[in-house]
């Protein structure tokens, strides 16, 4: 188990932002993860868990405590059951499942980060969410001081949310088990309209697994959502804001604001999100509020490829990023009466 002091954390995040940690521990086995967590808890030391760093905004002052980088490895495939160690690279895991001819996570290709983070955020894109395939999550329960196994139902998944995100100080994910589908080399039914159009099929159709994965990678790359060290549009956390889910009353008020601001014939994006609830598009709101691609003049700007990504153009500070994020939140609220919520986890800072 590697241990460093006054260790830079910015290189461990996709934003490349944030100050140092008092202590940085890198754990390569489940036992090392548990030992590091127990030592921090026993001494009352603040603990920050870092996986792939793709959903993390760390303050410029850094983290006064122990940062635990989970670098565990392990992939086990038994029939249609896939088990991943928390530190496994997610994009590699998706590629392996496609190579094995198994469907269920192929449209989650290109999402940066670690496997252990996927159930925490209930990672999703292009019509798929991990909640549809996760069967069990093995985690260390800091409150009970023991390793536990949580079923899919016990994970309490919802849109970009889970039991782990609701109680971030309790569980440390160690391993994740998925049940995939053997559809004879075909994908799961394509749900997302943009992906279906790119594939030349109708929503609900199946396509060869490799074609689904490659198409999603191309779509994501076109939006700066596939990591590339040379492309500052990918120096981000991907989608910085979640898509708002509004009650019927809230959506009616929002719709009225849209018509007032953009004209009677304007219809905002609207997707069913359960009884009495409608989901709309954060990217649409940001763009229509006047924050277009490339917006900004400083080292932190909106991506030139996608309005939902805030980016570090090189030389930015976390405060630069937060100033931009706050401006976007305030502008959307003023224009449409909707308050955007950040998707990345913030450490030592807030919007």
């Amino acid at each position: 188990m590697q241990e460093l002091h006054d260790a830079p954390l910015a290189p461990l995040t996709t934003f490349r932002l944030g100050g140092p940690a008092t202590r940085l521990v890198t754990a390569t086995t489940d036992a090392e993860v548990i030992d590091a967590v127990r030592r921090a808890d026993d001494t009352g030391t603040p603990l920050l868990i870092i996986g792939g760093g793709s959903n993390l905004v760390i303050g410029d002052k850094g983290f006064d405590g122990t940062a635990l980088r989970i670098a565990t490895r392990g992939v086990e495939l038994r029939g249609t059951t896939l088990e991943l160690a928390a530190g496994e690279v997610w994009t590699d895991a998706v590629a392996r499942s496609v190579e094995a001819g198994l469907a269920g996570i192929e449209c989650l290709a290109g999402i940066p980060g670690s496997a252990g983070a996927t159930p925490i955020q209930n990672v999703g894109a292009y019509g798929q969410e991990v909640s549809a395939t996760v069967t069990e999550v093995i985690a260390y329960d800091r409150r009970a001081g023991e390793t536990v196994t949580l079923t899919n139902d016990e994970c309490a998944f919802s849109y970009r949310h889970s039991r782990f995100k609701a109680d971030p100080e309790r569980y440390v994910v160690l391993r994740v088990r998925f049940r995939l589908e053997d559809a004879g080399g075909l994908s799961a039914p394509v749900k997302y309209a943009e992906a279906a159009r790119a594939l030349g099929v109708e929503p609900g159709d199946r396509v060869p697994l490799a074609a689904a994965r490659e198409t999603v990678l191309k779509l994501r790359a076109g939006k700066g959502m596939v990591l590339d060290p040379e492309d500052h549009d990918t120096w981000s956390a991907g989608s910085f804001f979640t898509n708002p889910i509004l009650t019927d009353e809230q959506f009616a008020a929002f719709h009225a604001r849209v018509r007032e601001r953009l004209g009677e014939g304007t219809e905002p994006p609207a997707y069913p999100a359960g009884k009495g609830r409608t989901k709309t598009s954060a990217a649409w709101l940001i763009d229509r509020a006047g924050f277009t691609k490339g917006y900004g003049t400083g080292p932190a700007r909106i991506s030139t490829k996608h309005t939902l990504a805030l980016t570090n153009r090189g030389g930015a500070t976390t405060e630069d990023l937060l100033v931009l994020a706050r401006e976007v939140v305030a502008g959307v609220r003023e224009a449409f009466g909707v308050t955007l919520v950040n998707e990345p986890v913030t450490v030592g800072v807030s919007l």
Side-chain angles (χ1 to χ4, degrees):
M1 185 160 57
Q2 184 188 66
E3 183 174 325
L4 299 172
H5 294 270
D6 195 27
L9 295 181
L12 302 182
T13 74
T14 53
F15 263 124
R16 295 166 172 82
L17 296 176
T22 305
R23 178 170 171 263
L24 172 64
V25 173
T26 298
T28 58
T29 68
D30 289 353
E32 288 181 351
V33 171
I34 293 170
D35 180 63
V37 173
R38 282 177 171 164
R39 279 198 284 164
D41 288 346
D42 288 347
T43 58
T45 303
L47 182 67
L48 170 64
I49 305 296
I50 300 178
S54 61
N55 201 47
L56 198 57
V57 177
I58 299 172
D60 292 317
K61 292 182 179 179
F63 183 70
D64 185 11
T66 296
L68 171 59
R69 179 172 171 260
I70 297 181
T72 53
R73 292 291 182 265
V75 179
E76 187 174 351
L77 186 59
R78 303 182 303 277
T80 58
T81 298
L82 174 67
E83 179 175 307
L84 300 172
E88 280 292 328
V89 177
W90 177 249
T91 53
D92 294 346
V94 173
R96 287 189 187 208
S97 73
V98 169
E99 290 169 4
L102 298 176
I105 57 175
E106 61 279 0
C107 289
L108 303 179
I111 295 176
S114 63
T118 61
I120 298 172
Q121 188 73 4
N122 186 16
V123 164
Y126 294 97
Q128 290 183 345
E129 288 182 328
V130 294
S131 57
T133 52
V134 168
T135 57
E136 294 178 325
V137 174
I138 297 89
Y140 178 67
D141 184 341
R142 297 168 66 181
R143 188 176 303 166
E146 62 185 17
T147 300
V148 296
T149 299
L150 291 88
T151 66
N152 183 289
D153 285 345
E154 289 172 330
C155 292
F157 290 121
S158 60
Y159 173 65
R160 300 297 175 270
H161 202 69
S162 69
R163 180 176 185 171
F164 312 106
K165 192 172 181 179
D167 195 357
E169 301 299 317
R170 180 167 183 179
Y171 298 101
V172 178
V173 175
L174 301 174
R175 296 183 173 269
V176 188
R177 293 182 182 136
F178 303 82
R179 180 170 294 120
L180 305 178
E181 178 189 7
D182 185 349
L186 296 179
S187 70
V190 179
K191 295 180 180 179
Y192 203 74
E194 182 185 14
R197 285 194 300 270
L199 286 159
V201 299
E202 294 296 319
D205 288 349
R206 294 177 185 261
V207 299
L209 276 165
R213 175 177 174 270
E214 289 163 7
T215 297
V216 166
L217 286 173
K218 289 178 182 176
L219 289 171
R220 290 185 64 87
K223 300 173 183 177
M225 298 290 187
V226 177
L227 291 181
D228 178 353
E230 303 303 316
D231 182 0
H232 283 282
D233 279 330
T234 73
W235 290 31
S236 75
S239 300
F240 195 87
F241 300 103
T242 57
N243 290 322
I245 295 178
L246 308 175
T247 65
D248 287 345
E249 182 179 355
Q250 289 170 334
F251 188 80
F254 162 58
H255 200 181
R257 294 281 286 270
V258 169
R259 291 195 302 267
E260 178 184 341
R261 181 181 178 90
L262 302 177
E264 287 294 329
T266 306
E267 292 295 328
Y271 311 97
K275 186 177 180 181
R277 295 164 72 82
T278 301
K279 180 168 67 176
T280 191
S281 165
W284 187 93
L285 288 165
I286 293 166
D287 183 71
R288 298 310 189 279
F291 302 101
T292 53
K293 295 174 185 176
Y295 178 89
T297 58
R301 304 178 200 171
I302 290 178
S303 166
T304 66
K305 299 182 179 73
H306 199 290
T307 54
L308 200 48
L310 307 187
T311 67
N312 172 10
R313 309 314 294 186
T317 64
T318 301
E319 187 58 27
D320 292 330
L321 175 74
L322 295 175
V323 167
L324 175 62
R326 291 168 187 144
E327 183 183 2
V328 171
V329 170
V332 168
R333 185 190 298 119
E334 181 181 357
F336 299 112
V338 175
T339 300
L340 295 176
V341 176
N342 54 290
E343 188 169 330
V345 175
T346 56
V347 177
V349 292
S350 64
L351 293 192

